[in-house]
Amino acid sequence: MTQPFTSDDRLSNALLLSGQGKGAEDSVGQLSNLPDTEQPAIVHPNFDPNQTPIDPARPLQDIPEPARRTNSQLRRLYGKSVHFSQPNEHSLSKWRLIGSEALAEHLALLSAAKLMTLPDSFYHNYSDQPLSSSLESLTLLDMADIQRAIGHYPTLNRYGFVVSESKVNARAHKLQKTIYSHDPDELLSSIYADDWQVVLQPQQFETGEGSLATDIMACSVAVHVLKQCQTRKSINHSYSAAQICEYVRSYLLSQLSIAPMHRNQYRQIRLFAGHIIVAAYHLGWSIQVGADEECHFNLSSRCGLLTRYANMPDYHINGWSS
C-alpha cells in the first residue's frame, strides 16, 4: 500500500494508526475532512471513504483521474526544504534560474583558467521583465503545424536551413564524431551527463536520427516561449534563430529546477535553430533569410526571454563546447 507523506504533524500522527482495524478507518476519515491545502499529496480512491473504490476487474476504458501535480504538493512533502522553496521570481538572477552544483563547478574551472568571465548581471537581476510562464501550461503542436512550415521552407531541418548536399554530409559526419560508440540512452542518464550538458549542449548527444517533422515537443516549447515575446525592430540589430535557441535552452534548463517532477521528460527535449524557425512561422513572425542561410527576427531586446535568461555562448571565450 502506498502511504501518503506529509510534513503536517496531524497527518503524521494519523499515519501511526494505519493497520489497526477501526483506527485505520478513522484516520482516513480525518484525512478526507482536512482542507485542500492540507490534503496529503498522494491520494488513492480505495482509501478515501468519500470516493468509490477502484475495481481491479474494471474495463480498460475506465481510467481514474490522475493525481494532482502541483508544486504545492512538493512543499507539503518536503516542508521548507531549500531545494523546493519558491523564491520571488522578480529577484531571480540568470544564475539562480539555471544554477546547479555541476554547472557551478564547470564555470569555476573555466573562470580559474581565465577562459571566460561572467558579468555581474549574471548573478543579479537588473531587469523588470517577468519570467516566461512554466511549461506546465504548454500546448502541444500538431504534426500538421510543423509540416506547414516545412512545406513553406523545403530546405528547413532541425538545425536550420541547409541548401547543399556537401554541408548536409559534413554536419552528419560531425555528429558521428560526437556520438562516439556510446548508447545515447546511457549518455542521457544523470550518471553520465548533467542536466546543464544535456540541455545547453544537445549537439553532443544528438544521434542524427529522426527529423524535424516529428520534433513535436521541441517545436511546442519554442512556440510556448516565443509567443510570450514582443517583436520590435531594434536599431541596427536583429537576433538569429541560433541566438534565440540559446536563450530558449536556458529557459528549458530553468524548468528542470522549477518542476523537478518532470526532470526526466524535459531532459529528452532537444532544441535547435530549426525548431525556432518553425515556431516563428507558426506565430506569423517576419522571417528574414540571408545569403548565409542564417535566419533573423526582429525580436524586442526588452522581452523577458532576452533579459532574464542567459545566452551561454555570449560568455564563451575558448573551449566552452569541448
Side-chain angles (χ1 to χ4, degrees), residues 237-310:
H237 184 71
S238 61
Y239 296 90
S240 68
Q243 287 177 311
I244 297 176
C245 181
E246 298 293 345
Y247 288 102
V248 180
R249 286 175 179 175
S250 288
Y251 163 81
L252 179 60
L253 181 58
S254 72
Q255 296 302 295
L256 269 66
S257 58
I258 293 177
M261 74 285 287
H262 301 310
R263 172 178 173 269
N264 291 331
Q265 301 174 26
Y266 293 166
R267 278 171 58 96
Q268 306 299 321
I269 301 176
R270 303 284 176 273
L271 285 168
F272 294 98
H275 304 133
I276 304 300
I277 298 174
V278 170
Y281 179 82
H282 179 75
L283 295 173
W285 285 15
S286 175
I287 302 177
Q288 308 161 18
V289 184
D292 57 353
E293 304 171 11
E294 282 288 341
C295 184
H296 293 81
F297 310 97
N298 292 327
L299 187 64
S300 173
S301 59
R302 299 180 181 179
C303 67
L305 176 65
L306 303 181
T307 58
R308 298 300 302 274
Y309 299 93

Side-chain angles (χ1 to χ4, degrees), residues 27-291:
S27 63
V28 173
Q30 294 174 7
L31 293 178
S32 62
N33 293 329
L34 290 175
D36 183 68
T37 57
E38 298 182 8
Q39 287 284 345
I42 303 174
V43 180
H44 195 284
N46 286 6
F47 304 99
D48 189 343
N50 295 330
Q51 300 187 45
T52 304
I54 296 178
D55 183 7
R58 68 188 185 279
L60 295 178
Q61 293 81 5
D62 184 8
I63 302 176
E65 288 294 325
R68 299 184 303 273
R69 297 184 302 176
T70 59
N71 288 337
S72 60
Q73 294 180 5
L74 291 177
R75 287 196 294 270
R76 293 200 302 273
L77 285 169
Y78 296 94
K80 298 181 179 180
S81 172
V82 294
H83 297 290
F84 295 94
S85 60
Q86 299 294 318
N88 184 4
E89 291 184 350
H90 296 288
S91 64
L92 289 177
S93 65
K94 295 178 180 179
W95 169 246
R96 288 290 303 278
L97 287 170
I98 68 174
S100 66
E101 184 177 353
L103 180 56
E105 293 177 353
H106 184 77
L107 297 183
L109 287 174
L110 293 178
S111 300
K114 300 187 182 303
L115 297 178
M116 68 183 305
T117 302
L118 297 176
D120 293 339
S121 60
F122 191 66
Y123 299 99
H124 302 281
N125 175 31
Y126 295 118
S127 173
D128 295 330
Q129 299 298 327
L131 295 176
S132 300
S133 63
S134 171
L135 277 178
E136 291 184 351
S137 59
L138 173 70
T139 301
L140 288 177
L141 264 67
D142 192 271
M143 290 184 65
D145 299 324
I146 304 176
Q147 192 59 46
R148 276 191 287 270
I150 297 176
H152 190 78
Y153 298 107
T155 61
L156 178 63
N157 61 25
R158 63 174 56 162
Y159 312 109
F161 290 105
V162 177
V163 296
S164 63
E165 190 67 22
S166 59
K167 292 186 177 181
V168 174
N169 294 334
R171 179 166 288 163
H173 178 67
K174 181 180 179 181
L175 286 174
Q176 291 174 359
K177 290 177 62 178
T178 59
I179 296 169
Y180 303 107
S181 59
H182 301 291
D183 184 351
D185 293 333
E186 289 185 335
L187 288 174
L188 292 178
S189 70
S190 58
I191 299 177
Y192 297 96
D194 295 308
D195 293 338
W196 70 267
Q197 290 179 292
V198 175
V199 177
L200 297 183
Q201 300 176 353
Q203 63 275 4
Q204 295 190 1
F205 308 91
E206 183 67 13
T207 63
E209 299 178 356
S211 68
L212 175 63
T214 58
D215 292 344
I216 296 178
M217 280 299 299
C219 292
S220 299
V221 170
V223 170
H224 175 75
V225 177
L226 294 189
K227 71 180 180 181
Q228 303 177 58
C229 301
Q230 301 81 31
T231 56
R232 187 182 69 175
K233 186 175 179 59
S234 301
I235 299 177
N236 298 327
H237 184 71
S238 61
Y239 296 90
S240 68
Q243 287 177 311
I244 297 176
C245 181
E246 298 293 345
Y247 288 102
V248 180
R249 286 175 179 175
S250 288
Y251 163 81
L252 179 60
L253 181 58
S254 72
Q255 296 302 295
L256 269 66
S257 58
I258 293 177
M261 74 285 287
H262 301 310
R263 172 178 173 269
N264 291 331
Q265 301 174 26
Y266 293 166
R267 278 171 58 96
Q268 306 299 321
I269 301 176
R270 303 284 176 273
L271 285 168
F272 294 98
H275 304 133
I276 304 300
I277 298 174
V278 170
Y281 179 82
H282 179 75
L283 295 173
W285 285 15
S286 175
I287 302 177
Q288 308 161 18
V289 184

